[in-house]
Amino acid sequence: MSSENSSADDVQRVWDVVVVGAGPAGASAAYAAAVAGRRVLLLEKAELPRYKTCGGGIIGPSRDSLPPGFDLPLKDRVHAITFSNNGRFTRTRRSRQMLFGLINRPEFDHQLVEHAQKAGAELRTGVTVTRVEQHGAAVPDRRTVAVVLGGGETVLARAVVGADGSASRIGAHVGVKTDQVDLGLEAEIPVPDTVAEDWKGRVLIDWGPMPGSYGWVFPKGDTLTVGVISARGEGAATKRYLEDFIARLGLAGFEPSISSGHLTRCRADDSPLSRGRVLVCGDAAGLLEPWTREGISFALRSGRLAGEWAVRIAEAHDAVDTRRQALNYAFAIKAGLGVEMSVGKTMLAVFERRPGLFHAALTGFRPAWKAFMDITRGSTTLGELVRSHPVAQRALTAFDRRTAEPVEAVESPEGGVSS
């Protein structure tokens, strides 16, 4: 940007990039744009640190997407996973190397924001964005977006990144469409040292009673994060599953410090990722893994890309160049995260029909367990695995075809039978 334009912008207070939402996606976008030397404003409606319903698992792709020098505030390192199929056929698999790490979201998110600030981004908390405008009286020219705040204040930007969560107002402006909505329920349960010690370094994953549902226990020192997720519309059954799950684990006698719920929304294949000079990323774009509903790695990766392309859009001088950069952003998302989501949707379709098959494979078939370890550690992704391993491709295709057939009993690795 020329010095003449720069001084004019200072008078009008035009930011190069305004990022709405200071979760992992927004903080990553703000960091990427600030590192490029641009003037970045990060807006967040809550005061930081703030709680977020989330298991807090940091898999390899998440770790690899963090800013240089980021010191992960790990509460535990996972070396073992206990799998069960609705409380039955329990089996634990172990690994010498760490599979993934566990964090508390308030601490993790706040630290990401601090890295964005160190890179030069300015943070404003306690600010609600009511809408964005790309035309009209509030917009001085075609290169500017007006971000309208609660109370009527307007902030001007050359590019806007929407990272304001699954109920995103920026997503509504862009026209984000979802085709999968799930309800996650979670309890943060403080436990005595003896109970905490039993869970140290080990998580539990339980394939649940409703199609596509599962539960988890993630240990974080003196607290266990216990949650379940299932398709929206099954609210009462999901709540019952969580209650039964907690009781089955022998944790019903401990009072949760926090009980919360959250809707996750997965984008439709044809859902837009931009409109004019506005991009969306993370939950606001409906970017998450459809089978596991893992969202942190998708937030970090899409946030970084959004920040990088927001810089290019901020520099675009006309609608044609803006459109080109926005299309390049969409291509970058679809070529990476989009491929993973496509495979994840197939995995979910198979899992909904045959959870027993997944349980038998992960607990009794070494190549399946190795693939699971490779994905969690970050040495491969779901998309890369299917693309580069013809056997995995054929198996997934065969399983997908069989989802239309009647469910048969599957021999479980514990010698019982599950369906």
Side-chain angles (χ1 to χ4, degrees):
M1 191 179 286
S2 72
S3 58
E4 185 181 334
N5 282 345
S6 181
S7 60
D9 282 350
D10 287 336
V11 171
Q12 298 172 47
R13 297 194 318 173
V14 180
W15 297 85
D16 292 322
V17 178
V18 168
V19 180
V20 183
S28 296
Y31 175 84
V35 157
R38 299 305 181 269
R39 286 173 298 168
V40 180
L41 177 63
L42 178 58
L43 302 174
E44 167 58 42
K45 67 180 178 182
E47 297 298 335
L48 298 177
R50 51 97 177 94
Y51 182 77
K52 175 79 165 63
T53 305
C54 175
I58 298 294
I59 59 174
S62 298
R63 186 195 59 238
D64 296 343
S65 302
L66 294 168
F70 190 95
D71 187 20
L72 265 171
L74 293 182
K75 295 299 176 187
D76 205 346
R77 291 168 167 78
V78 177
H79 286 82
I81 301 180
T82 299
F83 294 99
S84 60
N85 191 1
N86 198 17
R88 300 174 302 160
F89 315 120
T90 302
R91 183 166 180 185
T92 300
R93 303 216 65 159
R94 301 182 185 278
S95 167
R96 285 192 185 89
Q97 289 178 274
M98 184 177 85
L99 293 166
F100 56 95
L102 299 174
I103 51 93
N104 283 329
R105 280 290 301 276
E107 193 179 357
F108 176 72
D109 290 13
H110 195 205
Q111 202 169 308
L112 280 171
V113 169
E114 288 177 336
H115 272 259
Q117 289 177 285
K118 284 174 191 168
E122 186 171 314
L123 171 69
R124 281 184 63 183
T125 58
V127 178
T128 301
V129 173
T130 58
R131 66 186 187 279
V132 291
E133 296 178 7
Q134 301 197 60
H135 308 283
V139 184
D141 58 61
R142 291 181 179 180
R143 285 191 61 216
T144 309
V145 181
V147 180
V148 183
L149 310 180
E153 182 188 350
T154 297
V155 175
L156 300 178
R158 296 291 181 216
V160 171
V161 175
D164 48 335
S166 63
S168 168
R169 288 188 177 176
I170 311 301
H173 172 81
V174 167
V176 172
K177 295 183 289 183
T178 57
D179 67 0
Q180 178 187 325
V181 184
D182 296 289
L183 170 65
L185 298 177
E186 198 166 70
E188 301 287 349
I189 305 178
V191 292
D193 290 347
T194 50
V195 177
E197 190 59 35
D198 183 49
W199 285 96
K200 189 174 172 57
R202 177 176 66 95
V203 304
L204 169 64
I205 296 175
D206 177 72
W207 314 120
M210 297 89 75
S213 67
Y214 75 96
W216 61 89
V217 179
F218 285 0
K220 297 169 186 175
D222 60 0
T223 299
L224 300 179
T225 299
V226 184
V228 300
I229 195 160
S230 185
R232 184 177 67 170
E234 297 276 359
T238 306
K239 188 169 184 289
R240 194 160 54 248
Y241 175 30
L242 179 60
E243 289 168 355
D244 292 348
F245 187 44
I246 288 172
R248 200 165 65 214
L249 293 165
L251 300 173
F254 304 115
E255 187 68 28
S257 57
I258 300 173
S259 294
S260 63
H262 179 67
L263 289 177
T264 64
R265 294 177 170 89
C266 206
R267 72 187 293 274
D269 288 339
D270 61 346
S271 181
L273 290 159
S274 67
R275 178 179 170 186
R277 290 177 171 267
V278 179
L279 305 177
V280 284
C281 60
D283 284 344
L287 291 165
L288 71 156
E289 202 284 294
W291 174 38
T292 62
R293 290 81 153 187
E294 190 278 320
I296 296 177
S297 76
F298 279 69
L300 293 168
R301 290 180 285 172
S302 65
R304 188 186 68 236
L305 290 170
E308 290 169 355
W309 257 275
V311 166
R312 295 178 174 95
I313 286 172
E315 293 168 347
H317 284 277
D318 56 41
V320 174
D321 194 19
T322 300
R323 181 71 181 144
R324 184 187 303 121
Q325 300 303 342
L327 286 171
N328 285 340
Y329 168 66
F331 179 78
I333 292 289
K334 289 172 184 175
L337 300 180
V339 172
E340 290 179 42
M341 289 183 73
S342 178
V343 175
K345 282 180 182 177
T346 304
M347 296 281 279
L348 178 63
V350 178
F351 173 65
E352 285 176 337
R353 189 75 178 162
R354 297 175 175 276
L357 194 62
F358 271 78
H359 185 69
L362 280 170
T363 57
F365 185 51
R366 178 149 184 80
W369 169 242
K370 185 178 184 307
F372 184 92
M373 288 193 293
D374 287 346
I375 290 166
T376 58
R377 287 185 187 134
S379 54
T380 189
T381 65
L382 206 49
E384 285 169 4
L385 191 74
V386 172
R387 198 164 40 209
S388 58
H389 290 71
V391 174
Q393 206 166 37
R394 286 199 299 273
L396 196 56
T397 304
F399 288 160
D400 199 21
R401 271 202 308 270
R402 287 174 61 191
T403 58
E405 299 170 6
V407 177
E408 299 163 3
V410 177
E411 188 72 23
S412 92
E414 297 292 288
V417 174
S418 60
S419 61

